[in-house]
């Protein structure tokens, strides 16, 4: 059975590069009827936090990448944690085997000068106080060459003389990454290690450890890193990089996963549900070419998923999102809470076709849900339309029309606009934008006819009256 793992460190938010790696591991495990396992590599005790650990779980669940085994935590699988495995002595026992076979040794250094080794010993050195000395376990790199086959990059070769002896257990007894990964992957019976190509330099060290311990090697595959526009590894200087960032910005998990799948997976379709396309996934279909993260392309793909959602699902997901991030968007969250049942859904129905993310809905929602007296007017509108000499007469004419004519259907509202545009002699754009700004304060809004229908007669008249009052200021 194939067994794959995703092993993040809880030292920061989950990076989209990590999620893409998890996705490819998950897809291969599912395609082959294998298992996908989550292991938290929390040996960096200074930077690891429970908050980041929880964020990793939440992000993976939101992305749909559920893992298959681990400690039972109330009816669902928890992850494996390296520090818990450390406490059980797994790494210490493996290090002891290497010490007994002369493949590792104790390295002693002064606390005041930890980079200078003062003693190398096959036995634990007696008589050295921990206040003055650091006693670690180092692996003795053998002479020769270390070779391995990478499924993506082919045969790779490393001269051992270019690699110095390296620490496997710190003076605290906590294992370093390369050693812990080998022990864990072996004990977890991992068959394939699929990870970023930034780990290639770690692989020869890990292979030496596998061989020294007499262990079978897994299959290795190193994925090209996701790059920013400047062709350097994607980082915060390029923009948001974490799952949490895109979730907060109102992206759908389907949109994000679709885009990440495209960053390396050669597939025929561009918009699809990657978690449902198992039959088309092969490790051979992953490209070895560098990939650049395109924020605009991600937004476009997400918009396709937004517009494919059933209206009820779109509304439900939006409300769950705004409830989760109410501290980030307190004004609009409060406005939504105060709305009568069904009123917000009417706006969402009109807005779903116009936006690519939930965040893009907020400036469309705000002017429709806020009170007329607190409406803010965009300076671009006041300068370009409100101050035109024909604007007062135009607004007064529509004020009269909306007062005496029914505006309870789309067709009736449209007929008012069509008739008055013809009578005014003005362009459709000028009439629509003048009224749009008077009713919403902005040149960008939901459809104007939908806006009038949503606001209703009383609110429309109040807003036109307030716009006319601006001309008298």
């Amino acid at each position: 059975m194939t067994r794959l793992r995703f092993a993040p460190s809880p030292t920061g938010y989950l990076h989209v590069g990590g999620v893409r790696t998890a996705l490819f591991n998950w897809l291969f495990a599912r395609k082959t009827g294998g298992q996908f396992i989550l292991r938290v590599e929390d040996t960096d005790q200074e930077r690891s936090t429970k908050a980041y650990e929880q964020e990793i779980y939440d992000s993976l669940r939101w992305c749909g990448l559920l893992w298959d085994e681990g400690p039972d935590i109330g009816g669902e699988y928890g992850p494996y944690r390296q520090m818990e495995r450390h406490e059980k002595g797994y790494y210490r026992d493996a290090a002891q085997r290497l010490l007994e076979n002369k493949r590792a040794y104790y390295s002693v250094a002064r606390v005041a000068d930890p980079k200078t080794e003062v003693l190398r010993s096959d036995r634990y050195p007696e008589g050295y106080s921990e206040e003055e000395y650091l006693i670690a376990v180092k692996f003795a790199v053998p002479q020769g060459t270390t070779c391995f086959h990478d499924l993506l990059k082919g045969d790779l070769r490393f001269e051992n003389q270019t690699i110095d002896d390296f620490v496997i257990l710190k003076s605290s007894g906590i294992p370093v990454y390369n050693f812990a990964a080998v022990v864990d992957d072996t004990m977890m019976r991992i068959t394939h290690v699929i990870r970023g190509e930034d780990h290639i330099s770690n692989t020869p060290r890990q292979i030496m450890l596998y061989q020294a311990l007499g262990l079978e090697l897994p299959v290795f595959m190193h994925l090209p890193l996701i790059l920013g526009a400047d062709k350097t590894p994607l980082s915060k200087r390029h923009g948001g990089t974490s799952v949490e960032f895109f979730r907060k910005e109102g992206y759908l998990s389907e949109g994000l996963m679709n885009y990440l799948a495209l960053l390396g997976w050669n597939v025929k379709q561009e918009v699809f549900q990657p978690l449902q396309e198992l039959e088309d996934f092969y490790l051979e279909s992953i490209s070895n070419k560098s990939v650049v993260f395109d924020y605009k392309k991600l937004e476009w793909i997400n918009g396709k998923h937004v517009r494919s959602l059933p209206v009820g699902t779109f509304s439900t997901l939006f409300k769950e999102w705004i409830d989760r991030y109410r501290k980030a968007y307190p004004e609009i969250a409060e406005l939504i809470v105060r709305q009568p049942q069904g009123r917000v859904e009417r706006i969402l129905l009109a807005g779903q076709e116009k936006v690519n993310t939930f965040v893009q809905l907020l400036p469309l929602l705000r002017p429709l849900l806020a009170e007329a007296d607190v409406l803010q007017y965009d300076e671009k509108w006041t300068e370009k339309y409100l101050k035109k000499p024909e604007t007062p007469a135009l607004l007064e004419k529509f004020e009269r029309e909306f007062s005496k004519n029914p505006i309870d259907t789309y067709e009736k509202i449209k007929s008012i606009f069509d008739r008055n545009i013809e009578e005014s002699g003005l362009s459709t754009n000028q009439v629509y934008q003048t009224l749009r700004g008077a009713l919403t304060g902005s040149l960008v809004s939901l459809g104007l006819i939908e806006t009038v229908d949503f606001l209703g007669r009383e609110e429309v008249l109040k807003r036109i009256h307030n716009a006319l009052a601006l001309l008298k200021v």
Side-chain angles (χ1 to χ4, degrees), residues 202-313:
N202 290 319
T203 306
R205 292 173 173 81
Q206 293 178 8
I207 289 175
M208 291 178 198
L209 289 166
Y210 276 107
Q211 293 171 340
L213 289 166
L215 304 173
E216 183 178 352
L217 294 179
V219 175
F220 290 100
M221 183 174 188
H222 293 88
L223 307 171
L225 300 181
I226 298 176
L227 307 178
D230 60 357
K231 303 301 177 66
T232 62
L234 185 68
S235 66
K236 291 180 180 178
R237 68 176 176 276
H238 300 111
T241 61
S242 68
V243 173
E244 178 61 17
F245 169 83
F246 292 105
R247 193 175 180 184
K248 185 178 179 181
E249 286 294 302
Y251 285 81
L252 301 175
S253 61
E254 294 86 350
L256 180 60
M257 298 306 285
N258 183 167
Y259 181 65
L260 291 178
L262 293 176
L263 297 181
W265 181 7
N266 291 320
V267 287
K268 296 178 182 179
Q269 65 270 47
E270 195 166 40
V271 179
F272 66 111
Q273 300 275 1
L275 303 190
Q276 300 174 14
E277 300 293 335
L278 296 180
E279 64 181 29
D280 293 331
F281 182 80
Y282 302 91
L283 292 182
E284 296 81 3
S285 64
I286 297 176
S287 171
N288 191 33
K289 295 180 180 178
S290 298
V291 290
V292 175
F293 197 92
D294 185 335
Y295 289 85
K296 291 188 179 299
K297 181 68 173 291
L298 166 61
E299 182 185 318
W300 178 82
I301 285 177
N302 197 74
K304 293 290 186 180
H305 285 275
V306 163
R307 283 177 282 285
S308 71
L309 290 174
V311 175
T313 302

Side-chain angles (χ1 to χ4, degrees), residues 39 87 144 162 188 192 195 210 274 318 405 433 458 465:
R39 181 175 75 228
E87 292 168 1
T162 65
M188 294 177 179
H192 293 70
R195 56 190 178 187
Y210 276 107
F318 173 79
N405 293 301
Q433 292 296 64
E458 182 179 346
H465 175 78

Side-chain angles (χ1 to χ4, degrees), residues 107-118 131-134:
S107 172
V108 183
R110 293 185 183 277
V111 172
D113 190 11
K115 294 184 178 180
T116 302
E117 192 173 80
V118 299
E131 291 76 15
E132 296 183 67
Y133 295 93
L134 301 171

Side-chain angles (χ1 to χ4, degrees), residues 37-55:
I37 301 164
L38 176 62
R39 181 175 75 228
V40 175
E41 299 193 336
D42 56 352
T43 56
D44 185 345
Q45 289 292 281
E46 291 184 359
R47 297 195 301 143
S48 296
T49 71
K50 288 296 182 182
Y52 284 136
E53 186 177 316
Q54 187 60 50
E55 189 273 332

Side-chain angles (χ1 to χ4, degrees), residues 162-175:
T162 65
I163 301 173
D164 294 331
D165 292 357
F166 54 91
V167 173
I168 58 174
L169 288 186
K170 301 176 185 177
S171 59
S172 62
I174 294 176

Side-chain angles (χ1 to χ4, degrees), residues 295-359:
Y295 289 85
K296 291 188 179 299
K297 181 68 173 291
L298 166 61
E299 182 185 318
W300 178 82
I301 285 177
N302 197 74
K304 293 290 186 180
H305 285 275
V306 163
R307 283 177 282 285
S308 71
L309 290 174
V311 175
T313 302
F314 178 75
S315 176
T316 298
L317 290 175
F318 173 79
K319 287 188 171 182
E320 290 175 351
W321 172 79
I322 197 66
D323 185 59
R324 177 182 174 87
Y325 295 106
R326 59 173 52 252
K327 289 184 178 179
Y329 312 107
E331 178 191 1
I332 194 70
E334 183 60 29
L335 286 172
I336 288 173
V337 168
R338 297 206 303 260
Q339 300 307 309
Q341 182 69 28
R343 193 163 189 260
V344 174
E345 282 78 357
R346 290 178 59 196
I347 307 178
L348 295 178
L349 176 62
Q352 184 175 358
E353 292 299 317
K354 295 181 179 294
V355 301
N356 293 323
T357 69
F358 289 146
V359 161

Side-chain angles (χ1 to χ4, degrees), residues 346-347 349-351 354 368 409-410 413-414 417 432 436 439 445-456 460:
R346 290 178 59 196
I347 307 178
L349 176 62
K354 295 181 179 294
L368 298 182
T409 67
Y410 182 95
I413 298 169
K414 187 174 186 302
F417 275 103
Y432 269 60
R436 189 187 308 279
L439 298 180
S445 73
L446 297 179
L448 186 56
I449 295 174
E450 290 92 345
T451 296
V452 172
D453 181 43
F454 176 81
L455 291 173
V460 165

